[in-house]
Amino acid sequence: TAFAPTFPVLNDRLLKAIAGPDGELTQTMRVSRSVQPQGVARRLGTGTDPVVLHHRVFFVGDDRVSLANTYFPEPLAAGTEIEQPRDAGLTAFETLEASGLPADDLQWDLAARTATAAECREMRWPTALPVFVQICTAYTGGDRPIGCWVVVLPGDRVLFTERCHRKARPNIHAVM
């Protein structure tokens, strides 16, 4: 299934910058119940409990430009539109907010590393490609984690420049 992305602001802006003014951005999405990676389990405080996983691959034309996994604790996602593998018109975080669980705080962790063998296979990237990884954990009520997303972008396509004002969003640019 391909549709226009509804995704958190930073990733949306990065992907649009990578796509360029004339690039059409699409995605495929798979929803499943899964055991999350150890780092995500630590952020969510879920241990080995299952989570609802949104696995997305973003495309510009036929090029795979980003891999994104979003994890939600199963008790929060059960019985909501988050379990549906389609664009329900709301982002998963908007669905949680409509259920009384707004994402009050976001913690961003940014890293550079080499793409894993599995990422290179799935994304059809060259072996040992440098990648930029953003991990964001959303909290409600100050310290209750409600979701975590892990986005992997090819490092050869991303250059950040940032100018921030206290109350403004940073200006983020990506260079192909």
Side-chain angles (χ1 to χ4, degrees), residues 4 11 23 28 49 59 62 68 81-82 84 94 103-104 109 114 116 133 135 142 158 166 168:
N11 191 54
T28 61
D49 294 344
F59 297 82
D62 292 330
E81 292 181 4
I82 293 170
Q84 304 303 314
E94 289 169 331
D104 298 323
D109 298 303
T114 302
T116 67
V133 181
I135 303 170
V158 180
R166 273 189 321 177

Side-chain angles (χ1 to χ4, degrees), residues 7-8 36-46 51-54 68-73 76 92-93 96 106-109 134-139 145-151:
F7 211 64
Q36 69 276 23
Q38 187 176 22
V40 171
R42 186 176 59 254
R43 285 174 171 84
L44 292 178
T46 52
V51 294
V52 173
L53 166 64
H54 288 192
N69 288 318
T70 309
Y71 303 87
F72 299 95
L76 297 181
F93 289 102
L96 284 169
L106 300 176
Q107 177 182 322
W108 293 93
D109 298 303
Q134 67 179 54
I135 303 170
C136 185
T137 308
Y139 298 89
I146 58 173
C148 180
W149 63 90
V150 179
V151 179

Side-chain angles (χ1 to χ4, degrees), residues 49-105:
D49 294 344
V51 294
V52 173
L53 166 64
H54 288 192
H55 177 82
R56 301 171 191 231
V57 175
F58 290 87
F59 297 82
V60 174
D62 292 330
D63 293 331
R64 297 169 184 227
V65 296
S66 178
L67 176 64
N69 288 318
T70 309
Y71 303 87
F72 299 95
E74 189 176 47
L76 297 181
T80 71
E81 292 181 4
I82 293 170
E83 292 183 310
Q84 304 303 314
R86 59 184 168 78
D87 186 0
L90 296 175
T91 67
F93 289 102
E94 289 169 331
T95 300
L96 284 169
E97 184 169 3
S99 301
L101 296 168
D104 298 323
D105 295 303

